[in-house]
Structures are given as structure tokens and as C-alpha cells.
Amino acid sequence: MGTLLTLKNVHKKYDKKEILKGIDLEVQEGEIISVLGPSGCGKSTLLNIIAGIQDLTEGEVEIAGKVVSSRQKCVDIEQRNINMVFQDFALWPHMKARDNILYGLKMKKTDQAEMEKRLEQVVGLLHLEGLLDQYPAELSGGQQQRVAIARAIIMKPSIILLDEPLCNLDVQLRIEMRTEMAQLFHSLHTTVFHVTHDPSEAFAMADRIIVMNHGKIDQIATPNDCYLKPQTATVAGLLGAGNSLQRGSYIPETDLVQYGNQTLQAMTFFKETTKREVVLKFRPEEGALLQEYEDNCIPVAVILSSFEGGQYRVKVATELGEEVCVLYTGFLESGWKGYLKVDGEKLYAYQED
Ligand code: ADP
Ligand code: MG
């Protein structure tokens, strides 16, 4: 397995606004990469630069060892052996599914027998039997998605780019399609560069996740590592650790944080500095509410319980007046007093610049 795609110090500016601030990345052949980040952080811009649809301001993009984008040049998408699947599928409305799928091969004047052979393969892979004579408007969202993917893979590109490929599908179909797509691309050994703002889509599809924030990469790791060890407070927030306690104070040369009168064990994600203030982050499902004091607890009082089906989301306030949410099996009255416990490896501590 060699490196197929390399990004070196990629910058992009629109007017004076810097959208990408130095992206470095290597993608291996056959790897599925998911770029995850909030809306507006520059994901589509990065994908379009890889496609050659947009130029870059500084840096380089290499595919299979050849520079395809730099300040001096921008090789056309047709010359990059890349294919894209768009968010809105972008099927030709006046063409039947068959003609949509074969469009690229026809443009390349592929011979008829080869086209038939490849069509048969993608129809089988994507379960399109019986749909080839339908127009896009006669297909469901999920079927259109399959046609769009078939149209891309029939070209046998070395890289497939997917920009939020599932966001126009309903929830159930999204969950099915993301697993199916990952299986399909792995079986074809296709290299995939996928961008999404949906963590569960990235978790389900990616071999490695790139977490982007404000035009920079915050973390590159396997889905499991990103989930268990989010390197920055932003990554933690994006991956479900929405609770923040701002008033922690780091105890030097330990993995302990002082919060009010309590000492808490935490995962620390910073280099030792003279600064003491830390922000603690954790997921609502990692917090337990207890009546009796235990290790790694802080006193809290309930503000509000709301039913979520099967469990309650309980908002509590700490003694320092900060509010967080935890999931709990029962209803707790406002004013209920007890303790909030988060295990040390689930409590993340960050120092913010
Ligand atoms: P994402 O895909 O992560 O939501 P985009 O890459 O689409 O983000 O956009 C990143 C930022 O770049 C946004 O602030 C957007 O407004 C800006 N942007 C995107 N395209 C253009 C453009 N053609 N001209 C000016 N600004 C743009
Ligand atoms: Mg986008």
C-alpha cells in the first residue's frame, strides 16, 4: 500500500480571508479518509482543490507522486483520474439511469462491449437491477444515490471524492448507505476522500478521520482514537463531549484537576505550562448521578429533567454555578442534590489559548 494522495502545506485565500491555513496530509491507496468538521470550516474547499475545480493559494497537491496543483499549475479534473459524488447527486434529469451511468465512458469513447461489461458489474454491486430505464425523477433518494455512485465507480477512478454524500437522505437510509458504501469501496480497493459534518457518518465509514477546524487540522487518527482521545476541546465537542466545565485548575506534574473543593482525575491533553486554568469536557452519557459521594465526584443540584424516551436528560448545576447535562434512568426533581461522577479516562482536560 503506497501513498496515493499528498497535500503539502495547502493554503486557500478568498480575497483576504484565509480559508485553509496549511493542510498537510498523506492518503494511502485503498484508504477511506473522512474529513470531519463544522459547516464553513473549509471541507468542500479542500475537496474541490483536490479535484482541481478550485486553485490553491500556496502549497501542493500530489496524486501518485505527480504534482497536480500548485501556485504555478492546476491540472484538469479529467487528467486526475478522480471522480466526484455530489451532495445533490447531480444526475442529468433528462437521461435515464443507464445513460447517466454510462455518460463518462461514452465521453471517453469507450467501446460498446467494455461499457456493457462495466455496466453489468456496477448494476450488480449497487443493486440497480430493473432501474436502468428510469429517469432520476422516477427514482427514490436512495436509488438516485446508488446511480450517482455507480456513475462514479464505473470510471474506475483512483480516487473518489464524496462531499456530504448522504445528507439528502432520510436517517434510516443514511445509516444503511454509509455502511454499504464503506463495504463497497473497500471491496473495490478504491481510495476515498469523504467530507462530512456528521460524526456518526465519519465513524461508520472512515479508516482514518481528519478533524478540521477553522481551516486547520486538529487531529488525524482512527475513529476509535478520535472518539476516546480527542486532542482538542473543539474535537471533543464535535465528537459528543458537549459538556464543559470552565473553572478547573490543573495540579502540576499530575493528571489531576482541582474543581471547587474536589480533586478529579482526568485525561490531560496539553503540555505542562505555568498556566493552570483548564476546561473539562465530557459526554452526557459518561456522567453518572449518585446519591453518595465516591471518588471523582463533584456535588451538583438538579435544575431540570426532560424525558428522552427510555431515559431522562438531566441538567445539573455545580457548586461553582456551571451547568452540564447527563443521562439518567429516572426522573429527578428540580433541587435534588447529589454527586456527578465521570471516570478519569472519560473526563478530558484542555488548556485553551
Ligand atoms: P464547508 O464545506 O466546511 O462547510 P466551505 O469549504 O464550503 O466549508 O467554505 C469555507 C469558507 O469559505 C466559508 O466561510 C465560505 O463562506 C467561504 N467560501 C467558500 N467558497 C467561497 C468563494 N467562492 N468565495 C468566497 N468565499 C468562499
Ligand atoms: Mg461543504
Side-chain angles (χ1 to χ4, degrees), residues 202-263:
F203 285 138
M205 288 185 59
D207 296 315
R208 282 191 302 156
I209 295 180
I210 317 285
V211 190
M212 244 176 95
N213 181 28
H214 292 304
K216 285 214 244 162
I217 294 178
D218 266 16
Q219 185 164 4
I220 304 182
T222 62
N224 201 44
D225 272 1
C226 282
Y227 186 82
L228 294 175
K229 293 176 194 159
Q231 294 297 310
T232 67
T234 312
V235 177
L238 205 60
L239 301 186
N243 284 319
S244 297
L245 294 169
Q246 306 286 337
R247 301 184 59 186
S249 172
Y250 178 58
I251 303 173
E253 293 168 35
T254 66
D255 56 356
L256 301 174
V257 171
Q258 187 76 28
Y259 186 83
N261 293 323
Q262 313 300 319
T263 305

Side-chain angles (χ1 to χ4, degrees), residues 289 291 300-306 312-317 328-338:
L289 291 175
Q291 234 146 18
V300 291
V302 168
I303 299 173
L304 192 71
S305 297
S306 55
Y312 288 80
R313 179 171 292 264
V314 183
K315 192 195 265 188
V316 298
Y328 189 73
T329 47
F331 176 82
L332 291 171
E333 294 280 352
S334 303
W336 181 94
K337 284 197 167 61

